[in-house]
C-alpha cells in the first residue's frame, strides 16, 4: 500500500440523525415523513435505533479510541423546528450544542448535514421538495443553523439528492411510495439542486465561515453485455441518476448531451420537467462556490436495454436474488456473473469508486476537494455474546479494497481528503430495518450495548499507520 496520505487525512464514521438518535418523541421533536409511515407499515420502528440521542458520549469516545478523527452527523430539522418553520425548539438546539461539543472536545471533527432523508411531516404532506414554499422554509432553517452552530466548520446541505427522488418516486421504497412517477422524480432532483444552490449562495453572501458542499451518491452504470444498445441504456440511466445532478451542482447548467438523454427518458414515460425563470441563474451562481464535494459510493449497476413496461421489486430483507428493476426507455438491471453481490443484491465493485473519482475530477472543474462521505458493507453480523469480538472479515475486505481504489485515484492526482465508513455504529436502515448492519461497532438493539467488531480494530490500524 502506498503511504502517501497527509497527516490530516480524515478517517471518519458516518451517521444520520434519524438512523441513530432514536428518541423520536421526546423533548419537543416534531414528526418526520417517516414516523407514521413506519408505524403503518409495521415492519420496524425508528426507536430505539442506536439511542445516540442519549449514548452519543459513548460512541464519540469509541470513535476516538479506534482512530477516527471525524464523524458525519446530521441535524434533525424537526428537533429544531418541529413543524419545519416557526419558533425554534430550544431543547433541540441545546442537544446539538452538547453533541458538537463532545465531538470537538474529543478531537473527532463533526461534518454536519442539514437534511438526511428526514423532511418534517407537515412539509412532506404539503409536497416535500416539489413544493417551492418548502424550499424557503429550508433556507430559513439552514440560515438559523449557520448562525446558531458557529462551532461547526464543515457543512453539507442535503445528503444524496438522487436517493430521495429515486426512492420516493421511482423505486417506491420511501414514502410516498410512488413507482416510476418520472415527472415527480426529475422535478424533485431539480428542486433539490435549487435548494442546495440557494443555501450555498446564502452561506457565501452572508459571509459565514467554514466550508459548505453537498453529498451525491454516485452509482456508475456499465452496459452488460457490452453492446451498442446496452451502452445507450447505460448512458440514459447515468444521465438520469448522476450527470443531471452533477451538471446542476458544478456547472450550473444541464449540458445539452445530458438533456438529450434525460429528455429521451422523459419522453418514453410521458414525463416533463419545469424549470422556472431564475432557477438556472441560481444554480450558476452556486456552481463555483462549493468548497468541497461529499461522494458516497456503494455499488455500480449493470444495465441492458429495455423498452417494456416499468416494474421493480425491492430487496429489503436480505434474501439474495429478490430484487429486480426494469425502467421503460432506460434499461433493466442485470446480474454480471463475474461480480459478487451482497445479500441485498448490491454489486461489490471497488473499481467503480476509482472510475467515479477519476471521472468527476476530470469532468467537473468546479469540483475541488472530494471526501468519500459514505462507503461500507451491509452484512448480517453474528453476535457472539457480551464482550466477544464480532468477526466481520467480509467488511474488512470491502473497506480495504475501496480504500485501495481511493488511493489509486489519489496517487493519480484526484484530490481526495478523507474517507468516512458507513457506518460508525450499527443503525436503523430506512427500508431494511435492523438486520442490515454496517457499523464498525456492533449495537445490541435490545440492550443498546456496543461490541467491538474486528473491522473497528482493523480500521484503527489503517488510520494509525496511514497518513502518520
Ligand atoms: C445511503 C444513505 C444512508 C444509508 C446507506 C445504506 O444511501 O445515505 O442513510 O442508509 O445508504 O443504505 P441502506 O440502509 O439502504 O442499506
Amino acid at each position: 500500500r502506498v503511504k502517501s496520505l497527509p497527516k490530516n487525512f480524515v478517517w471518519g464514521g458516518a451517521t444520520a440523525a434519524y438512523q441513530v438518535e432514536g428518541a423520536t418523541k421526546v423533548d419537543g421533536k416534531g414528526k418526520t415523513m417517516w414516523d407514521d409511515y413506519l408505524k403503518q407499515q409495521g415492519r420496524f420502528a425508528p426507536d430505539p435505533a442506536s439511542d445516540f440521542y442519549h449514548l452519543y458520549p459513548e460512541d464519540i469516545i469509541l470513535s476516538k479510541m479506534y482512530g477516527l478523527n471525524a464523524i458525519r452527523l446530521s441535524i434533525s430539522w424537526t428537533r429544531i423546528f418541529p413543524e419545519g418553520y416557526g419558533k425554534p425548539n430550544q431543547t433541540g438546539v441545546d442537544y446539538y450544542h452538547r453533541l458538537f461539543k463532545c465531538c470537538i472536545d474529543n478531537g473527532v471533527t463533526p461534518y454536519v448535514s442539514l437534511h438526511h432523508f428526514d423532511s418534517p411531516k407537515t412539509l412532506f404532506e404539503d409536497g416535500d421538495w416539489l413544493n417551492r414554499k418548502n424550499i424557503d422554509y429550508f433556507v430559513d432553517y439552514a440560515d438559523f443553523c449557520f448562525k446558531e452552530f458557529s462551532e461547526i466548520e464543515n457543512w453539507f446541505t442535503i445528503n444524496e439528492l438522487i436517493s430521495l427522488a429515486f426512492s420516493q418516486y421511482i423505486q417506491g421504497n420511501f414514502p410516498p411510495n410512488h413507482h416510476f412517477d418520472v415527472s415527480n422524480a426529475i422535478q424533485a432532483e431539480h428542486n433539490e439542486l435549487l435548494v442546495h444552490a440557494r443555501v450555498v449562495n446564502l452561506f457565501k453572501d452572508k459571509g459565514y465561515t467554514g466550508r459548505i458542499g453537498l453529498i451525491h451518491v454516485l452509482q456508475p452504470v456499465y452496459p452488460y453485455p457490452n453492446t451498442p444498445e446496452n451502452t445507450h441504456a447505460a448512458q440514459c440511466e447515468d444521465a438520469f441518476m448522476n450527470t443531471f445532478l452533477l451538471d446542476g451542482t458544478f456547472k450550473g447548467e444541464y449540458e445539452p448531451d445530458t438533456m438529450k438523454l434525460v429528455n429521451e427518458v422523459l419522453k418514453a414515460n410521458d414525463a416533463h420537467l419545469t424549470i422556472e425563470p431564475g432557477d438556472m441563474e441560481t444554480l450558476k451562481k452556486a456552481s463555483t462556490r462549493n468548497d468541497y464535494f461529499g461522494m458516497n459510493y456503494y455499488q455500480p449497476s449493470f444495465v441492458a436495454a429495455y423498452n417494456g413496461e416499468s416494474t421493480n421489486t425491492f430487496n429489503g430483507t436480505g434474501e439474495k436474488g429478490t430484487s429486480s428493476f426494469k425502467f421503460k426507455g432506460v434499461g433493466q438491471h442485470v446480474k454480471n456473473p463475474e461480480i459478487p453481490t451482497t445479500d441485498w443484491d448490491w454489486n461489490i465493485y471497488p473499481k467503480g469508486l476509482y472510475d467515479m473519482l477519476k471521472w468527476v475530477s476530470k469532468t467537473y472543474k468546479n469540483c475541488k476537494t472530494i471526501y468519500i462521505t459514505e462507503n461500507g458493507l451491509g452484512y448480517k453480523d453474528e453476535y457472539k455474546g457480551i464482550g466477544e469480538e464480532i468477526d466481520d472479515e467480509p467488511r474488512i475486505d470491502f473497506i480495504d479494497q475501496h480504500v485501495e481504489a481511493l488511493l489509486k485515484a489519489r496517487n493519480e492526482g484526484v484530490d481526495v481528503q478523507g474517507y468516512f465508513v458507513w457506518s460508525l455504529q450499527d443503525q436503523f436502515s430506512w427500508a431494511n430495518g435492523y438486520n442490515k448492519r454496517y457499523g464498525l461497532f456492533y449495537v445490541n438493539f435490545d440492550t443498546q450495548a456496543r461490541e467491538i467488531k474486528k473491522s473497528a480494530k482493523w480500521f484503527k490500524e489503517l488510520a494509525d499507520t496511514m497518513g502518520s
Side-chain angles (χ1 to χ4, degrees):
R1 203 192 282 284
V2 199
K3 297 189 184 186
S4 60
L5 291 172
K7 225 184 162 73
N8 60 355
F9 191 82
V10 167
W11 294 107
T15 72
Y18 202 69
Q19 293 182 270
V20 292
E21 288 177 1
T24 60
K25 298 185 185 71
V26 307
D27 293 342
K29 184 181 190 304
K31 282 184 182 173
T32 69
M33 65 193 232
W34 292 93
D35 299 60
D36 292 346
Y37 163 78
L38 289 174
K39 202 167 172 186
Q40 244 167 28
Q41 200 194 38
R43 282 179 65 209
F44 41 79
D47 286 320
S50 327
D51 199 19
F52 189 72
Y53 189 70
H54 300 105
L55 298 180
Y56 68 85
E58 192 176 332
D59 287 342
I60 303 298
I61 284 164
L62 280 177
S63 303
K64 184 183 177 179
M65 276 172 64
Y66 285 87
L68 306 178
N69 55 18
I71 183 171
R72 255 194 79 204
L73 305 160
S74 74
I75 294 177
S76 170
W77 187 349
T78 60
R79 278 200 201 283
I80 310 284
F81 294 105
E83 307 240 287
Y85 53 87
K87 201 172 152 295
N89 169 32
Q90 194 56 41
T91 323
V93 173
D94 293 344
Y95 164 67
Y96 287 108
H97 278 304
R98 283 199 307 277
L99 167 60
F100 297 154
K101 180 168 185 329
C102 180
C103 297
I104 294 164
D105 286 353
N106 283 288
V108 180
T109 306
Y111 285 68
V112 179
S113 312
L114 291 165
H115 189 279
H116 194 127
F117 300 169
D118 56 350
S119 297
K121 176 180 154 76
T122 41
L123 308 188
F124 167 74
E125 284 175 348
D126 207 17
D128 210 352
W129 295 127
L130 299 173
N131 180 348
R132 282 174 175 250
K133 185 90 197 107
N134 294 337
I135 301 183
D136 297 337
Y137 291 139
F138 185 81
V139 174
D140 293 346
Y141 153 65
D143 193 21
F144 174 87
C145 289
F146 298 148
K147 212 176 296 159
E148 178 69 36
F149 301 112
S150 54
E151 66 271 45
I152 296 303
E153 289 172 1
N154 304 289
W155 291 101
F156 292 110
T157 54
I158 304 183
N159 173 73
E160 294 193 358
L161 292 71
I162 190 60
S163 297
L164 269 175
F166 183 78
S167 304
Q168 293 189 299
Y169 303 117
I170 300 286
Q171 192 167 233
N173 60 329
F174 279 17
N177 307 103
H178 294 187
H179 288 265
F180 301 100
D181 179 345
V182 181
S183 292
N184 277 349
I186 196 75
Q187 196 63 51
E189 288 190 43
H190 173 75
N191 287 12
E192 287 180 72
L193 281 171
L194 200 58
V195 180
H196 164 72
R198 281 191 52 193
V199 172
V200 168
N201 289 333
L202 172 135
F203 188 89
K204 295 296 178 188
D205 290 344
K206 285 199 161 185
Y208 287 114
T209 55
R211 299 189 290 177
I212 188 148
L214 89 178
I215 293 171
H216 287 309
V217 61
L218 297 185
Q219 183 153 323
V221 194
Y222 303 107
Y224 191 85
N226 197 344
T227 64
E229 297 77 35
N230 294 348
T231 300
H232 185 69
Q235 285 167 343
C236 284
E237 180 169 318
D238 187 43
F240 196 81
M241 302 292 289
N242 301 314
T243 326
F244 182 82
L245 289 165
L246 287 165
D247 282 4
T249 308
F250 294 115
K251 292 188 171 170
E253 62 191 37
Y254 305 124
E255 290 281 354
D257 283 352
T258 306
M259 278 325 289
K260 196 164 170 260
L261 294 160
V262 167
N263 283 329
E264 196 181 315
V265 174
L266 299 188
K267 190 156 176 247
N269 291 277
D270 291 325
H272 65 276
L273 162 70
T274 307
I275 297 177
E276 291 190 9
D279 286 2
M280 296 319 290
E281 286 74 12
T282 304
L283 296 196
K284 195 76 189 175
K285 189 167 176 206
S287 64
T288 55
R289 303 172 108 184
N290 292 282
D291 296 297
Y292 55 11
F293 171 48
M295 182 194 295
N296 292 355
Y297 174 78
Y298 287 93
Q299 60 156 340
S301 49
F302 294 95
V303 169
Y306 179 75
N307 290 309
E309 288 307 308
S310 296
T311 151
N312 76 309
T313 49
F314 176 73
N315 174 356
T317 55
E319 234 177 289
K320 212 169 179 157
T322 54
S323 64
S324 69
F325 186 77
K326 299 176 179 187
F327 190 172
K328 182 179 178 177
V330 182
Q332 61 175 315
H333 289 183
V334 291
K335 180 140 180 43
N336 178 339
E338 283 163 38
I339 305 299
T341 54
T342 72
D343 286 342
W344 289 264
D345 303 322
W346 289 27
N347 295 304
I348 302 178
Y349 190 64
K351 185 172 176 292
L353 173 60
Y354 167 83
D355 288 350
M356 285 293 100
L357 283 168
K358 293 286 284 191
W359 173 68
V360 168
S361 75
K362 190 175 121 218
T363 314
Y364 297 97
K365 295 295 165 220
N366 291 328
C367 170
K368 297 159 204 144
T369 302
I370 301 175
Y371 288 78
I372 299 303
T373 35
E374 279 183 38
N375 175 244
L377 177 71
Y379 185 63
K380 295 169 188 164
D381 289 276
E382 218 182 298
Y383 181 63
K384 295 272 174 57
I386 299 171
E388 301 286 327
E389 179 187 284
I390 282 138
D391 186 349
D392 59 344
E393 202 62 52
R395 179 170 294 113
I396 296 177
D397 276 358
F398 184 99
I399 299 175
D400 189 34
Q401 291 178 51
H402 286 81
V403 169
E404 203 69 57
L406 177 162
L407 286 172
K408 184 166 188 280
R410 209 188 124 88
N411 289 336
E412 293 171 16
V414 182
D415 181 20
V416 194
Q417 297 285 347
Y419 176 91
F420 289 80
V421 63
W422 184 270
S423 50
L424 178 65
Q425 72 288 67
D426 290 336
Q427 318 183 347
F428 141 79
S429 162
W430 311 96
N432 309 280
Y434 288 95
N435 80 330
K436 192 178 190 186
R437 294 171 180 270
Y438 281 92
L440 292 178
F441 306 117
Y442 184 94
V443 175
N444 178 333
F445 291 111
D446 297 328
T447 63
Q448 288 298 332
R450 272 56 173 159
E451 305 291 347
I452 307 305
K453 296 187 194 176
K454 202 171 171 184
S455 58
K457 296 182 183 169
W458 176 86
F459 202 79
K460 176 173 169 47
E461 232 180 274
L462 176 79
D464 285 353
T465 51
M466 296 187 66
S468 52

